[in-house]
Amino acid sequence: MDDKFRETLSYDDVLLVPQASSISSRKEISLESRFGKSMLSIPIVASPMDTVTGSVMASAIALYGGMSVLHRYNTIHEQVLMLKEYLFYTGREGLENPFDYIAVAVGMNGDAIERASKLVSMGVKYVCVDVAHGHHTMMRDTLKQLRDRFGSDIHIIAGNVATKEGFEDLAKWGANSIRVGVGSGSICSTRIQTGHGMPVLQSVLDCASSRHSGRAYIIADGGIRNSGDICKALAAGADYVMVGSLLAGTTESPGEVIMTDKGKVKTYRGMASKEAQNAWKGTHNSIEGISATVPFRGPVAAVLDELVVGIKSGLSYSGAIDLESFTAKSRFIRQTVGGQRESDTHILSNK
Ligand code: XMP
């Protein structure tokens, strides 16, 4: 392998090896994890996209014990309203520390600092600098401005990066959590448009080998299709996974349920899709995402319940009682094409 080329692994290339277990019930297993000063009950973060995370989704996720990032594709005033709605909905349900479960997204230039200042003045503790190519000098400048303004009062999520170098630079520049994954999302066309990207599992493995991992959280972002992928991301060293498509088809995502001849669906679009760009800035430039539909799946709590069952089952196959021991104990194998075929459901149909 020379400097110009290397082999990498994606979720489908690997499997976790089943290990001896003494866990008799999934009830024994905890998915609790610390996110900055918050203690979350699930390692899942809802993505800052306008077809995923508005105030209703954020409230439902918070009440479940997860984290979401309110999207930034609006005016500061509209984002403030989203936050107020979130506080209203979660307050109505008696959630005690609503600011423990919510982050707000800002960009890298334009109104980023003004936006962050307004939201932090309302009580926000988590700010996400949300950029497609986050390993960038403009990211360094934005992180510096945020740190100069807020010191260590806020937890900064930044990204996205694909490499260990990117992860380390963002950690050095002041990020507390880093979104890892470039071009891996289900609605991404970055790899088609630009030829750039990296299988997100490999990015996570690389970042987890950094001396900064542990000090900065790794959020595996994009390409998660099921609880099996979540288990693989966590085993590889991710502290959290960020999901878009898995949540986009639920009752709580923004947008209407559409009736089609294939059943009920909801719109899900990449934030760099032509449609999303036109909607939030009235024009578009490099198109690096698509607009699609996903099947309607009902309440998000039911979708999260299903994911939790799958992840807990995953931990028990590795004989792990919590996320920390899972990351420590889990072992991967690389599977062949034959192994991948065997891993997929493959019942012989009656011809
Ligand atoms: P999933 O697979 O969960 O991915 O649907 C969600 C993640 O995809 C990223 N994202 C994009 N990436 N073009 C891209 O290349 C886009 O238009 C786009 N919109 C979102 C983002 O990281 C999100 O969390």
Side-chain angles (χ1 to χ4, degrees):
M1 192 176 11
D2 61 24
D3 288 349
K4 194 83 175 168
F5 180 80
R6 66 179 283 219
E7 305 260 0
T8 61
L9 296 171
S10 64
Y11 291 126
D12 283 344
D13 293 322
V14 300
L15 283 175
L16 290 159
V17 182
Q19 301 192 46
S21 172
S22 59
I23 300 161
S24 51
S25 155
R26 273 195 299 266
K27 288 200 191 89
E28 292 174 40
I29 298 173
S30 162
L31 298 185
E32 277 200 342
S33 41
R34 181 160 287 288
F35 196 109
K37 290 182 182 147
S38 308
M39 188 55 101
L40 304 183
S41 0
I42 47 168
I44 296 175
V45 185
S47 179
M49 299 170 74
D50 71 354
T51 49
V52 179
T53 310
S55 54
V56 180
M57 176 66 80
S59 315
I61 302 262
L63 292 166
Y64 203 96
M67 171 75 78
S68 6
V69 187
L70 283 178
H71 76 83
R72 65 180 173 89
Y73 300 96
N74 47 21
T75 62
I76 297 176
H77 178 66
E78 285 162 343
Q79 207 180 12
V80 165
L81 282 183
M82 273 203 296
L83 180 65
K84 284 187 174 163
E85 280 170 10
Y86 163 80
L87 294 172
F88 173 75
Y89 297 141
T90 50
R92 203 172 51 184
E93 300 296 324
L95 184 71
E96 276 190 15
N97 300 310
F99 288 112
D100 283 4
Y101 305 97
I102 192 87
V104 295
V106 302
M108 209 160 49
N109 42 27
D111 65 12
I113 302 301
E114 186 191 346
R115 193 176 274 266
S117 300
K118 176 71 196 157
L119 295 154
V120 170
S121 75
M122 293 173 68
V124 161
K125 299 194 275 192
Y126 295 89
V127 174
C128 174
V129 187
D130 169 36
V131 196
H133 181 28
H135 193 192
H136 200 288
T137 49
M138 280 163 71
M139 173 64 81
R140 184 192 59 206
D141 300 344
T142 306
L143 291 175
K144 179 167 182 345
Q145 287 180 57
L146 287 171
R147 281 293 173 226
D148 286 350
R149 170 88 53 129
F150 303 110
S152 57
D153 291 350
I154 59 167
H155 177 115
I156 305 179
I157 305 167
N160 283 31
V161 302
T163 62
K164 182 172 166 178
E165 292 76 15
F167 178 81
E168 296 192 334
D169 277 345
L170 265 58
K172 275 189 257 165
W173 297 341
N176 303 101
S177 298
I178 297 168
R179 289 167 68 187
V180 173
V182 171
S184 47
S186 58
I187 35 51
C188 293
S189 56
T190 299
R191 295 180 187 175
I192 299 165
Q193 174 81 348
T194 71
H196 284 67
M198 176 116 142
V200 68
L201 181 80
Q202 187 66 51
S203 294
V204 170
L205 287 164
D206 289 354
C207 295
S209 73
S210 162
R211 67 197 161 82
H212 290 279
S213 108
R215 204 169 61 73
Y217 295 108
I218 296 174
I219 304 176
D221 180 16
I224 301 270
R225 298 156 299 180
N226 46 47
S227 49
D229 287 346
I230 297 180
C231 289
K232 291 174 184 177
L234 298 171
D239 298 283
Y240 292 90
V241 295
M242 180 170 272
V243 292
S245 73
L246 281 182
L247 306 178
T250 60
T251 313
E252 290 82 353
S253 68
E256 302 305 317
V257 176
I258 307 164
M259 289 300 295
T260 69
D261 45 7
K262 287 189 201 122
K264 294 179 181 173
V265 298
K266 286 188 94 165
T267 300
Y268 177 49
R269 63 189 186 188
M271 293 318 304
S273 66
K274 190 168 152 186
E275 292 78 359
Q277 290 191 51
N278 284 343
W280 67 276
K281 58 183 181 191
T283 178
H284 57 268
N285 37 36
S286 183
I287 298 168
E288 294 178 21
I290 59 162
S291 180
T293 56
V294 287
F296 175 61
R297 303 180 67 190
V300 70
V303 170
L304 293 174
D305 280 347
E306 235 178 80
L307 292 175
V308 164
V309 167
I311 302 166
K312 285 191 171 179
S313 211
L315 263 64
S316 87
Y317 270 101
S318 275
I321 200 106
D322 57 23
L323 292 173
E324 208 182 335
S325 57
F326 180 55
T327 310
K329 286 188 77 170
S330 49
R331 294 287 171 267
F332 283 109
I333 51 140
R334 180 175 187 165
Q335 49 177 352
T336 60
V337 173
Q340 287 167 0
R341 217 178 289 136
E342 186 181 276
S343 297
D344 217 355
T345 44
H346 54 265
I347 190 163
L348 292 174
S349 55
N350 280 332
K351 287 244 170 98

